[in-house]
Amino acid sequence: MPKYLPNTRFSDCWGSVGEVTFYHRDGVCFWRKRARPEFPGTLQQMEQLGVHRRALEAWRGLDHETQLQWNALGANKVTSRPPFDGLSRLSGHNLFVSAYHGFAQLGVEQVPQPKPISSFPVFSVEFLSAEKGVDTELLLNFRIRLHKCLNPSDFRLCTRVQLCRAGAGKRPGYMRSFLAVENCSSDECIVSIVVPDYVSVWDLDLPEYTAHCRVFLIDSETGYRSKYQSISFAFQLK
């Protein structure tokens, strides 16, 4: 895709205007024709849209004093989205909606309370094995290491997974979200991700796969989510 070239009027762009969408990859701005899909979305996408709409409704239902508390919390957080000037702060609205989505991913959709932003531990995720589970389930096992974490049981691993043919590249639009069965039990532990009906999800029934994942932690006390890490690996099924 073509790069956006800064000029004297606009040093950077993001979002959509007219028929053009600006986006960033590795800190570089690109542009493309605005996507206007004709399909309504997958069932999972429609469910997420429903969660997002309920999050927006919940924010509008907060009293003004509580909204101000969220704004004060967001003012201490530098946003990871453009503009990448190190000065822009997260709005209380976005922080609230993010926490709402975090709780929804944990399966306990609820209105979050304004709490200081989590200090997530440095963590690493290592793929261990894959095996067929009950019926059409796929079980992915990972080892998590949490560096100097005082309360590891507060955190649960969440993954965005794409299964593809061996050696095929990553396509983020084909990633689907799955949650670890349980929270972490210690600063080094093994957790499992259950992928229901994995053959139908990606329409692939193969003895060998390549998996591309985005992995992150969810704080079960606040609903906040860590920055994601990308990992890829290959595995065989017997």
Side-chain angles (χ1 to χ4, degrees):
M1 293 294 174
K3 291 183 180 180
Y4 172 74
L5 300 178
N7 55 61
T8 55
R9 297 182 63 188
F10 303 104
S11 60
D12 199 0
C13 290
W14 56 92
S16 298
V17 57
E19 295 301 314
V20 176
T21 294
F22 298 93
Y23 64 101
H24 291 77
R25 182 177 297 166
D26 297 327
V28 179
C29 183
F30 297 85
W31 63 271
R32 64 186 175 211
K33 184 177 179 181
R34 185 173 187 175
R36 296 187 182 276
E38 297 180 0
F39 64 90
T42 66
L43 177 60
Q44 188 178 47
Q45 288 171 330
M46 297 304 291
E47 290 174 348
Q48 287 300 307
L49 179 59
V51 171
H52 190 65
R53 286 172 173 167
R54 291 192 293 275
L56 298 180
E57 183 178 356
W59 170 260
R60 291 192 291 267
L62 297 178
D63 60 81
H64 184 59
E65 181 61 34
T66 303
Q67 290 181 340
L68 290 178
Q69 292 179 41
W70 280 101
N71 287 336
L73 292 172
N76 295 322
K77 176 69 173 177
V78 177
T79 179
S80 59
R81 297 185 178 275
F84 302 106
D85 54 10
L87 300 175
S88 300
R89 295 297 190 267
L90 195 64
S91 70
H93 171 270
N94 285 345
L95 185 61
F96 172 89
V97 170
S98 178
Y100 191 104
H101 274 276
F103 279 125
Q105 285 185 287
L106 290 171
V108 287
E109 184 177 334
Q110 63 188 45
V111 177
Q113 300 302 310
K115 296 181 180 180
I117 297 175
S118 309
S119 178
F120 284 93
V122 176
F123 71 98
S124 65
V125 178
E126 175 189 0
F127 170 72
L128 293 180
S129 63
E131 56 191 282
K132 292 183 179 180
V134 179
D135 297 328
T136 58
E137 292 179 347
L138 174 67
L139 199 64
L140 299 176
N141 301 308
F142 298 89
R143 175 179 284 112
I144 302 179
R145 294 183 175 90
L146 306 174
H147 182 63
K148 295 182 178 180
C149 182
L150 298 178
N151 300 299
S153 60
D154 287 348
F155 303 103
R156 188 177 296 196
L157 181 72
C158 188
T159 65
R160 296 269 297 158
V161 181
Q162 176 206 351
L163 296 188
C164 55
R165 298 181 183 277
K170 177 166 51 179
R171 300 182 68 181
Y174 284 78
M175 287 183 168
R176 298 293 180 265
S177 295
F178 303 98
L179 191 67
V181 176
E182 297 177 338
N183 283 20
C184 296
S185 57
S186 62
D187 57 3
E188 182 174 339
C189 59
I190 296 175
V191 300
S192 298
I193 301 288
V194 176
V195 182
D197 201 13
Y198 70 98
V199 171
S200 297
V201 171
W202 291 279
D203 195 24
L204 291 173
D205 188 4
L206 302 170
E208 183 177 3
Y209 291 91
T210 289
H212 302 290
C213 301
R214 290 178 176 176
V215 297
F216 56 93
L217 299 176
I218 303 179
D219 187 328
S220 58
E221 296 297 316
T222 63
Y224 297 145
R225 295 170 288 181
S226 71
K227 293 183 179 180
Y228 73 81
Q229 301 177 15
S230 295
I231 61 172
S232 298
F233 50 86
F235 62 89
Q236 294 181 337
L237 295 175
K238 298 180 180 180

